[in-house]
Amino acid sequence: MRRIIVLLGPPGVGKGTAAVALVNSFSFGWLSSGELLRSVKQSGSELGSTIAGFIDNGRLVPDQLIIDLVEKEILRSPDDCYLLLDGFPRTLPQAASLEEMLGKHGDQVGLVIELTADLEEIERRILSRKAVEGRADDTLSTLRHRLEVYQRQTAPLVDFYEARKKLHRVSGMGSPAEVVGRISQAIQNALKIEPISQKKEAC
Ligand code: AMP
């Protein structure tokens, strides 16, 4: 059975940074929808340029497009691992589709971590990421649009998962080590699993 952990939170809150640390310490599989889309964008295909038109302007790609891409990756992942989803789902139709798809395979979302941080901190993190990674969508004006999109389209997922008793809210303020420590604790409490010393190759 695949067990899914969803990392939810606005752009710049630190989902990617936390994901890398969690994947290493718990040996989770990891699927970042943003990374998946950026790799298709860079492939130079027609689909890649369609995707670039959305990402570079801070808009969400159409639901069906990302649902198809992500679902294919989930089904390719080993079914005896925890899989950390970073950036998906981002809309109610995506969440409903994920639930339906997992249900068909006897899998389910086990836990949703909502990471939160102050707006000033999010802006500071995005600008320092821009300096390091040079992402086209990490400008202040695109960030403000992405935050609006988050409030309108993604924030309703908090109620969706709260109603299913899956949601754990974690503060994303402080150093990466502090944030990862809080998330690890939430995972250990909710799922009764421990960090492991040896990486499971399959995951
Ligand atoms: P991220 O790396 O998660 O910040 O995502 C970068 C961009 O990829 C987003 O601003 C969207 O344009 C696009 N994207 C990532 N995940 C999704 C998703 N689940 N649904 C729609 N668009 C997405």
Side-chain angles (χ1 to χ4, degrees), residues 100-153:
E100 191 192 330
M101 188 273 282
L102 293 174
K104 275 190 207 147
H105 296 272
D107 303 332
Q108 60 170 314
V109 170
L111 174 67
V112 179
I113 301 283
E114 184 202 6
L115 266 185
T116 60
D118 295 351
L119 181 60
E120 303 83 71
E121 179 61 13
I122 286 176
E123 290 188 353
R124 196 189 61 72
R125 289 181 188 176
I126 286 281
L127 292 180
S128 55
R129 183 169 75 186
K130 169 95 178 150
V132 176
E133 296 178 21
R135 270 174 53 172
D137 58 345
D138 275 348
T139 62
L140 217 44
S141 63
T142 308
L143 171 67
R144 293 205 171 120
H145 181 61
R146 287 161 68 203
L147 287 170
E148 270 169 41
V149 169
Y150 182 82
Q151 282 311 326
R152 198 166 5 100
Q153 293 187 262

Side-chain angles (χ1 to χ4, degrees), residues 31 33 36-37 40 47 51 61-76 88 91 93-95 97-98 101 104:
L31 179 54
S33 52
L36 186 61
L37 289 166
V40 181
L47 180 61
I51 288 173
V61 305
D63 281 331
Q64 204 51 52
L65 194 164
I66 188 68
I67 286 169
D68 290 347
L69 285 174
V70 166
E71 290 189 352
K72 211 181 294 159
E73 292 298 316
I74 291 177
L75 294 180
R76 264 217 293 251
F88 183 93
T91 65
Q94 291 178 21
S97 174
L98 176 67
M101 188 273 282
K104 275 190 207 147

